[in-house]
Amino acid sequence: MINAGDTAFVLVSSALVMFMTPGLALFYGGMVRTKNVLATIMQSLTIIGLVTVIWVLWGYSLSFGPDVGGVVGNLSWFGLMDVGLSPSPNYASTIPHQAFMIFQGMFAIITPALITGAFAERMKFSTLLVFIALWSTLVYSPLAHWVWGSGGWLANLGALDFAGGTVVHISSGASALAAVLIISKRKGYGKEQFIPHNLPMTLTGTAILWFGWFGFNAGSALGSNGLAAAAFVNTHVAAATASLGWMFAEWIHHGKPTTLGAASGAVAGLVAITPAAGFVSPVSALIIGGLAGVLCYGAVMAKAKLGYDDSLDVVGIHGVGGTWGALATGLFASTVVNADGANGLFFGNPGQLWIQFLSVIVTCLFTFTMTLAILKVLDLIMGLKVSEEEEIRGLDVTQHSEAGYSF
Amino acid sequence: MKKIEAIIKPFKLEEVKEGLAELGISGMTVSEVKGFGRQKGHSEIYRGAEYTVDFVPKIKVEVVVDGNMVDKVIKVILAQAKTGQIGDGKVFVRSIENAYRIRTGEEGRKAI
C-alpha cells in the first residue's frame, strides 16, 4: 500500500543523495591543483551518467533482483522489467518500487565516485570509464546484494548497516587502497608541493555533502517516520562532533586549527555514522562522531608516513571512518532506538560486535581483491596512468582540452 | 626621467597610492608579485602535511617621473610603506631613456 508521505520523503531523499555526487566533485576539485580541477570534477560527473545507465540496465537487477544463492541477484529485472509503480514485495512496502530503485541508484553512483579521490591527478579518463563500469557491475552490485538484497548472506548473518557503511564507505575505502597500491604515485610526490588550489570550493562541497547526507541516512529509513528523524539527528550530531574532533586533534598536534581539517572531520563523521544512524542514540552519535574525527586525522597522518599517494585521502576518511562506524554500530546499537536492529556490546550483546567485525573483514577482502584484479587487467590492456608529459601539463588540457580558469 | 619600482606589502598599497597622488603623480602601474628577501616564506598545513611556501605575495608599484621628483617620490614611499617589521620591501630606481603616449604620440616628459 503506497503511503504518500513515505513516497514524497524517499523521492526527496533520492534527490538529496544525487546532489552529493556534484558536492563530492567540488570537495575533491578544490583539493587538486589548478591544472586538474576539471578532470577531477569530470570524473564524478561522468560517473553519474555511466552508473545510471548500468543501474537501469542490469545494476539494479544484480543488486536487488531475485536472489541467486545469497550472492547476487539474477537478471530477471534487466532494464527494470517488473520494477513498477506498485511497492515491491521485498523492499520498502509503502513506496513505489521505482522510488526504491532510484534511491538505491544514487548510492550506486556516489560509491565509485568516492574512489576517484585516491588516484586524482593521474588517472587516464578512458580507463576510468571502463574501470567504473566493471567495478559497479562486479563489486558494487554483489556487495549491495549481500548486505541489502533480499536473501543476501551478510544480511542473513545479522550484520547491521543502516545506510551503507560497508557497501558504500568500506568498499570505496578498501578499493581506494587497492588502487593506490597499483597506480604509481603522482610525479613529484614527496618533493613538490601539492597544495589545494581552491579551499572555498572544497568547503562548498562539504556543505553540499553534509546537506545531502540527510537524504542518505534519514532516507534510508525508507519512510517518513520516527526512525528517519532518529537517523537525521544522529547524522547531524556526528558530523558536528567529528568536525570538532579533527580540528582539535590537528590543533593540538600541529599547532593550528584548519578549515580543511574541520571540513574533512565533518565528512569523516558523516561516514562513521552512516551504518549506525538508525540504531544508536544521539549521545552515542556524539561519541561516534568525535572519535571518528580524531581517528581519521590519525589515519591521514599515518598515510604520509607510509608514503602512499592516496591523493585525497579516501582510505583515511572512508576506509577508516567506515570501519570505525561499522564497529561502533556493534558497540552502541540499541533496540530501544530501533526494535528491528540489535543490541551492541555496550547494551549487553558482545556477539553483535563480532558480526560487525566479520562484515568489515569480508567487505574489505572482497572489494580490495576485486579492485586489485580489475585494475591489474586494465593496466595490461589500456594503461591506468596518463603519460608523464600529460601529467605535468595537467589532465584538464590533455584529457579534456579545457582549462578550469583563464586569466 | 626615472622609473621607481617599489616592492611593498599588499595592504600598504592604498597609503602609498594616496601619498603619491598628493605629490601630483598622475599614473602608476601596479602588479601582484611574489618573492622573498630576508622575510623568507611561511608554512602552510593541509591535512597535516606541512609545506613551506617560499614566495610571499607582494605588490610592485611602478612610477615613471621627471628626475626632479625622484627624491620626493622615494620619501613618500619609504614613509607610507613602512611598518618597521621585516618584509616591508624594497625600492629600486632606474633611468628611463624615453617615453611615448600612444594616443597622441607625445614623447618625453609630456608623455608621463
Side-chain angles (χ1 to χ4, degrees):
Chain A
M1 181 70 184
I2 288 178
N3 176 295
D6 290 350
T7 305
F9 181 63
V10 171
L11 288 177
V12 169
S13 292
S14 306
L16 283 170
V17 181
M18 181 273 154
F19 197 35
M20 288 171 72
T21 303
L24 181 76
L26 295 179
F27 182 70
Y28 282 170
M31 278 190 272
V32 299
R33 288 164 291 173
T34 318
K35 62 184 178 182
N36 296 321
V37 59
L38 290 180
T40 304
I41 290 173
M42 182 68 167
Q43 297 188 341
S44 291
L45 198 62
T46 311
I47 287 172
I48 299 179
L50 183 60
V51 174
T52 299
V53 172
I54 291 171
W55 194 247
V56 166
L57 290 181
W58 63 82
Y60 181 67
S61 190
L62 289 177
S63 306
F64 292 92
D67 179 65
V68 181
V71 180
V72 72
N74 70 22
L75 282 172
S76 61
W77 293 354
F78 184 92
L80 302 184
M81 222 180 318
D82 297 336
V83 179
L85 302 182
S86 43
S88 139
N90 299 319
Y91 311 107
S93 58
T94 60
I95 63 173
H97 194 181
Q98 282 195 8
F100 177 76
M101 180 280 300
I102 200 66
F103 181 66
Q104 291 297 339
M106 300 310 176
F107 285 63
I109 288 168
I110 194 165
T111 308
L114 292 169
I115 305 172
T116 63
F119 43 67
E121 302 196 290
R122 59 195 190 279
M123 183 83 172
K124 220 162 109 180
F125 187 69
S126 51
T127 313
L128 175 89
L129 294 185
V130 180
F131 168 66
I132 296 298
L134 291 173
W135 195 89
S136 183
T137 306
L138 302 175
V139 184
Y140 187 86
S141 282
L143 184 64
H145 186 79
W146 298 357
V147 179
W148 291 327
S150 176
W153 74 272
L154 269 177
N156 289 342
L157 205 66
L160 296 179
D161 183 359
F162 191 70
T166 45
V167 180
V168 176
H169 298 293
I170 297 178
S171 76
S172 58
S175 300
L177 183 61
V180 298
L181 292 178
I182 288 204
I183 304 174
S184 56
K185 297 172 189 175
R186 285 170 291 177
K187 192 182 154 43
Y189 177 83
K191 293 189 291 270
E192 281 171 37
Q193 310 204 328
F194 295 135
I195 295 183
H197 91 284
N198 188 342
L199 283 183
M201 178 187 279
T202 296
L203 298 172
T204 309
T206 308
I208 295 172
L209 283 171
W210 193 327
F211 179 71
W213 228 294
F214 291 121
F216 197 96
N217 286 359
S220 289
L222 296 169
S224 184
N225 51 33
L227 187 58
F232 192 111
V233 169
N234 287 334
T235 300
H236 184 66
V237 166
T241 51
S243 175
L244 293 173
W246 186 307
M247 184 195 80
F248 281 116
E250 185 172 39
W251 200 346
I252 292 164
H253 180 235
H254 245 292
K256 286 280 161 60
T258 67
T259 50
L260 181 58
S264 308
V267 174
L270 291 163
V271 168
I273 201 63
T274 295
F279 300 116
V280 303
S281 72
V283 173
S284 299
L286 278 175
I287 300 167
I288 293 172
L291 286 174
V294 177
L295 273 174
C296 292
Y297 175 70
V300 168
M301 291 299 93
K303 173 201 76 170
K305 288 227 165 64
L306 294 169
Y308 294 137
D309 189 13
D310 174 7
S311 314
L312 310 177
D313 295 311
V314 185
V315 181
I317 294 180
H318 296 277
V320 173
T323 300
W324 161 240
L327 297 177
T329 308
L331 296 172
F332 292 98
S334 159
T335 48
V336 176
V337 178
N338 184 345
D340 294 333
N343 280 320
L345 175 71
F346 295 152
F347 295 88
N349 178 19
Q352 190 60 39
L353 185 60
W354 170 245
I355 297 174
Q356 296 301 108
F357 178 73
L358 214 60
S359 75
V360 170
I361 295 295
V362 165
T363 307
C364 282
L365 281 179
F366 174 66
T367 55
F368 180 86
T369 322
M370 288 295 286
T371 306
L372 213 59
I374 294 171
L375 287 175
K376 205 82 190 163
V377 171
L378 289 182
D379 194 17
L380 293 173
I381 302 174
M382 306 179 70
L384 300 172
K385 222 178 150 185
V386 295
S387 72
E388 189 173 303
E389 196 206 322
E390 288 174 317
E391 199 186 335
I392 292 168
R393 288 182 63 206
L395 304 187
D396 289 6
V397 164
T398 58
Q399 304 293 296
H400 307 293
S401 283
E402 290 175 294
Y405 307 92
S406 50
F407 296 109
Chain B
M1 283 181 299
K2 299 279 183 191
K3 175 153 99 170
I4 294 135
E5 282 182 16
I7 316 277
I8 62 170
K9 288 189 164 162
F11 68 92
K12 282 290 185 183
L13 176 62
E14 205 55 34
E15 289 166 62
V16 170
K17 188 193 84 184
E18 276 163 23
L20 293 177
E22 276 171 31
L23 282 182
I25 303 290
S26 55
M28 67 185 70
T29 305
V30 170
S31 30
E32 292 180 27
V33 295
K34 284 181 173 182
F36 66 85
R38 287 187 200 164
Q39 185 187 5
K40 295 293 181 219
H42 59 273
S43 62
E44 293 181 5
I45 306 168
Y46 298 98
R47 282 195 175 155
E50 199 163 342
Y51 298 106
T52 309
V53 178
D54 293 322
F55 298 104
V56 186
K58 296 283 171 190
I59 292 283
K60 181 165 79 172
V61 182
E62 292 169 274
V63 207
V64 177
V65 296
D66 197 30
N68 61 23
M69 288 290 287
V70 173
D71 289 345
K72 288 181 201 159
V73 167
I74 289 172
K75 208 171 141 191
V76 164
I77 293 174
L78 292 183
Q80 300 298 330
K82 183 171 177 172
T83 66
Q85 303 293 314
I86 198 161
D88 273 352
K90 299 252 189 314
V91 180
F92 304 105
V93 183
R94 60 207 293 184
S95 298
I96 293 294
E97 283 180 26
N98 208 346
Y100 299 88
R101 189 186 303 280
I102 293 173
R103 176 171 53 87
T104 57
E106 291 166 290
E107 68 172 291
R109 276 195 293 173
K110 283 186 199 155
I112 60 176

